[in-house]
Each structure stands twice: as structure tokens, then as C-alpha cells.
């Protein structure tokens, strides 16, 4: 099945060559970092794309300069395929589907199907690093609390691309302060390394370039599946300003609130991580559709909980359809048509932010009461069995008052038995008096 998917991708490439423009930008960043050139002064490809990542990322891109661009594109496709398989494996482990996580045919089949999810496919089309960053964060946060250096890799991911920094906030508000500070340490190490090797570029990025969102692209085009993109298109306004900033702040608060509740009330850390990821994608000024590769662990998390619940199977099918239908590319979006959608075109142009908002609202509603099974991230069936065994064990344990009554009855019985033995001994002594001569 995986081979069939790659053949389909190759045929598609023959019909419509994949631009893979972002890998060309990464290679140019690596060249600028290696040669000491102006990291934020160049543009490449016919779309005049500039560098937008921190200087630390440019250092990691230096090895891309060792290959020709054509070879690099082939390597990028193969590496992303491997990262997709790894992401599926990590997602299965995180959501409790451990048997599938260690079954090669299941992982390969899921990889073949996952390739055609729109965010994943777009990652291949542009040669993006989203799968690598998602794997890094999911691996790091999936480790047990108290694991050495947990959070550090998440901080490094934030040093490559800023949005993963929100996971440090998630760790902090859920009481894992040490891991949150480890994430901060990882981020600061990445910044320091970038400054030591590229001091001028570091000052330029952290004082100016990181605030230039228009440098990344137009916020109102359908490619942008963030809350700002949705609001811009709904209001037909390319610069919504406070009309976006206020909802974004409210969404950030609600999203982190939902993440904290699902962790503390249900003990589901993976769903807390997914809430945080959805929040980051919603409130980021620009979230291109290929940034939504978090749909992979989301779909696997939903699939892990569909047993014996038909409505959950319907929900899984609907979410899968939303991430494969590519409705944002169906509506007319050439030129400035994105700013002139009619009301019925708006949901088609913004499926991901609407889905993200619905997910956060559903999780807040679901966690309105504390769950019956505290803690535990394992397989749902195992959680139910553990919950039933705990209830049965509690029923078998007598109440304190029963214990007191039992103790009193035992003491009374012991005193009665002791008195009976004393009386028996006295009677025996009287009947056994010695005869007189």
C-alpha cells in the first residue's frame, strides 16, 4: 500500500511537478549561515521567498548545502515519509494503541493512507519541516513525568520555529514546573548558539524580523488556516487588527484552559497536548494548511476511542473527511478573491480553524465534570477494566464502623471463651482431689 501511495505521488509529480519551494529556502539559509552572508536579505524561487526562521534553524540547515537541489528534494521526500511513519508510531503509543504502534504492517498501511491527508501532502509538496518538529515535541512530551530532561527537546523545537513555545506554558499550568523550565532552557540554548555563530543575524531577527508577519505571507489567503485568516476573510479586511487580536487572546486562554482541564480532570495528557497544539495553530498569525500535521495524532486519538460508540465512529469519519477534502482549494481564490467570499463559501475556505474551535469547545464541555477514572493514559478498554476493579475493591473493603463492630464482637467472644476455660479448670480441680489414707 505504501508503494502504491508513492507511485501515485510520482505520477502526480509527472503531471504537475511539486515545487518544494521551502526546501530551497532552507538550503539558501544554510548557505548564508555557512558563508556568513546576509541571512535575512535574500529571496529565492520565483515567489521571492525570504528566510523566516531564527538563526539557530539556519545552522541546522547547513548540511542541506552538501547536496544538489534535485538530490535534496528526493532526500526530503524519503525523510518526510520516514517521519510520517515515526509520527504514527508515536501517536499510537501516546493514545494507548500500543499493539498497532509495534506492528510494522499497521504502521506502514497508516503511513500510506496518511500521506493523502491534506496537511501531510502539502508538507511533501513544499518540502517542509513540520513532521520533524511534531515528532520531536510528541516524543518529548510523551515521556514519563520526571524523565531526565523532559521539555528540553520541546524548547529546541521552539528555537527552530517559535510556535512550539506554547507547550512550555502547557507544562507549567499543569504543574510540571521542572519540565517547563527545561523547555525554557532548551529554547535559550538554541538562541545562545545562534547568537554565538551568527550574532548580527540574531540581533536582527529577535529585535525586528520576528515581528514582521507580512514577511511570511498574506494573512487573508486561503492557505492561512489560522483564526486571523478566518476573521480577515469573513470581514473582507486584510488587516483586522484588534478584531483579530481580542478573539485570539480569548482563544488562547480557552485553549489552555481546556488543555489543563483535560489533563487534571481526565488524566489524558495526550489530549492536553493536542488541545495545546490546536490552540497554537489557531492563535498564530499565520498557520499554513501544512502546519496542521497535528491532524495525524488527532485522528489516531479519535480512532482509539471509537469502540462500541457509533457516534464516535461518525465523528472520526467527519474529521478525516475535513482533513482530506481540500475544500479551501476548491473555492475560487486567485488574486484577491479570498477577500470576497460569500457566506456559504466561508466554511469551505476555513475548515481547520472551525474544526479546531469545535474541538476546544467539545473538550471543555466533556470535562465539565471530573472523570470516574483518575489518571492513566492507557488503552480505553484497560481504563474501564481498571475503573471497575477499583470499584469492586472498594465494595469489598468493610467500612470503619463495620471494622469496629467486628473488633468488639471478637473481643467479647474472647472474654467468653476465657471465662469458660477458667470455670472448666475449677471443676476439674474439685473432682480430682486426692483420696485420704
Amino acid at each position: 500500500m505504501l508503494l502504491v501511495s508513492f507511485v501515485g505521488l510520482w505520477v502526480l509529480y509527472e503531471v504537475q511537478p511539486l515545487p518544494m519551494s521551502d526546501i530551497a529556502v532552507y538550503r539558501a539559509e544554510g548557505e548564508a549561515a555557512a558563508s556568513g552572508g546576509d541571512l535575512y536579505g535574500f529571496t529565492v524561487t520565483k515567489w521571492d521567498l525570504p528566510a523566516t526562521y531564527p538563526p539557530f534553524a539556519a545552522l541546522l540547515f547547513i548540511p542541506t548545502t552538501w547536496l544538489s537541489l534535485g538530490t535534496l528534494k528526493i532526500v526530503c521526500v524519503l525523510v518526510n515519509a520516514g517521519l510520517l511513519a515515526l509520527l504514527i508510531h508515536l501517536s499510537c503509543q501516546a493514545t494507548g494503541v500500543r499493539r498497532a504502534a509495534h506492528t510494522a504492517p499497521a504502521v506502514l498501511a497508516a503511513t500510506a493512507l496518511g500521506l493523502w491527508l491534506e496537511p501531510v501532502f502539502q508538507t511533501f509538496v513544499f518540502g517542509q519541516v513540520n513532521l520533524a518538529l511534531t515528532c520531536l515535541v510528541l516524543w518529548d512530551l510523551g515521556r514519563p513525568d520526571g524523565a531526565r530532561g523532559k521539555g528540553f527537546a520541546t524548547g529546541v523545537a521552539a528555537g527552530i520555529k517559535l510556535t512550539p513555545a506554547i507547550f512550555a506554558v502547557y507544562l507549567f499550568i499543569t504543574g510540571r514546573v521542572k519540565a517547563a523550565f527545561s523547555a525554557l532552557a532548551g529554547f535559550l540554548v538554541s538562541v545562545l548558539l545562534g547568537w554565538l555563530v551568527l550574532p548580527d543575524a540574531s540581533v536582527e531577527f529577535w529585535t525586528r524580523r520576528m515581528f514582521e508577519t507580512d514577511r511570511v505571507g498574506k494573512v487573508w489567503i486561503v492557505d492561512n488556516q489560522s483564526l486571523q485568516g478566518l476573521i480577515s476573510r469573513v470581514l473582507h479586511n486584510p488587516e483586522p487588527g484588534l478584531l483579530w487580536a481580542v478573539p485570539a487572546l480569548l482563544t488562547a486562554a480557552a485553549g489552555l484552559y481546556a488543555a489543563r482541564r483535560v489533563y487534571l480532570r481526565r488524566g489524558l495528557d495526550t489530549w492536553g497536548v493536542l488541545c495545546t497544539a490546536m490552540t497554537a495553530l489557531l492563535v498564530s498569525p499565520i498557520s499554513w494548511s501544512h502546519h496542521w500535521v497535528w491532524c495525524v495524532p488527532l485522528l489516531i486519538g479519535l480512532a482509539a476511542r471509537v469502540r462500541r460508540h457509533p457516534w464516535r465512529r461518525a465523528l472520526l469519519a467527519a474529521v478525516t473527511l475535513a482533513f482530506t477534502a481540500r475544500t479551501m482549494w476548491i473555492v475560487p481564490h486567485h488574486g484577491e478573491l479570498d477577500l470576497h467570499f460569500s457566506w456559504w463559501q466561508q466554511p469551505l475556505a476555513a475548515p481547520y480553524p472551525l474544526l479546531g474551535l469545535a474541538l476546544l469547545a467539545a473538550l471543555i464541555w466533556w470535562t465539565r465534570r471530573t472523570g470516574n477514572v483518575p489518571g492513566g493514559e492507557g488503552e480505553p478498554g484497560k481504563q474501564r477494566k481498571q475503573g471497575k476493579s477499583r470499584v469492586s475493591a472498594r465494595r469489598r473493603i468493610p467500612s470503619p464502623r463495620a471494622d469496629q463492630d467486628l473488633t468488639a464482637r471478637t473481643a467479647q467472644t474472647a472474654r467468653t471463651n476465657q471465662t469458660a476455660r477458667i470455670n472448666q479448670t475449677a471443676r476439674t480441680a474439685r473432682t480430682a482431689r486426692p483420696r485420704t489414707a
Side-chain angles (χ1 to χ4, degrees), residues 361-421:
L363 287 173
I364 291 175
W365 179 84
W366 182 56
T367 56
R368 68 194 186 281
R369 295 191 185 96
T370 304
N372 293 328
V373 183
E377 182 68 19
E379 186 178 349
K382 293 181 180 179
Q383 285 188 350
R384 287 192 293 270
K385 292 177 182 178
Q386 291 172 357
K388 291 179 181 178
S389 65
R390 289 170 184 165
V391 172
S392 300
R394 286 196 295 268
R395 288 175 179 172
R396 289 195 299 268
I397 298 174
S399 64
R401 183 170 181 177
D403 288 343
Q404 294 172 2
D405 293 343
L406 178 62
T407 302
R409 288 195 299 270
T410 303
Q412 180 64 32
T413 302
R415 286 194 295 270
T416 302
N417 292 339
Q418 184 178 9
T419 302
R421 285 195 298 271

Side-chain angles (χ1 to χ4, degrees), residues 258-275:
R260 184 176 186 274
R261 276 172 49 126
V262 78
Y263 173 76
L264 294 180
R265 294 194 173 189
R266 299 287 177 169
L268 298 174
D269 191 21
T270 298
W271 282 95
V273 171
L274 286 173
C275 275

Side-chain angles (χ1 to χ4, degrees), residues 25-40 42 51-66 129 156 159-161 186-203 205-206:
V25 178
Y26 301 154
R27 190 172 185 273
E29 289 185 37
E31 288 179 346
S35 62
D38 187 357
L39 182 57
Y40 299 106
F42 69 81
T52 58
Y53 290 0
F56 174 70
L59 299 179
L60 300 181
F61 294 146
I62 289 177
T64 62
T65 64
W66 303 341
V129 296
V156 173
I160 299 172
K161 201 169 186 177
F187 176 71
L188 292 177
V189 166
S190 71
V191 174
L192 179 62
L193 287 175
W195 178 77
L196 289 175
V197 181
L198 301 170
D200 294 336
S202 295
V203 172
F205 179 82
W206 296 110

Side-chain angles (χ1 to χ4, degrees), residues 130-189:
N130 305 305
L131 289 169
L133 295 178
T134 305
C135 286
L136 186 61
V137 171
L138 195 60
W139 167 80
D140 187 30
L141 299 185
R143 295 191 295 156
D145 291 334
R148 184 184 297 273
K150 178 174 180 175
F152 190 86
T154 300
V156 173
I160 299 172
K161 201 169 186 177
L162 299 178
T163 47
I166 194 173
F167 292 103
V169 181
Y170 167 69
L171 291 171
F172 185 81
I173 64 176
T174 52
R176 290 165 291 180
V177 179
K178 182 179 178 181
F181 277 102
S182 293
L184 177 61
F187 176 71
L188 292 177
V189 166

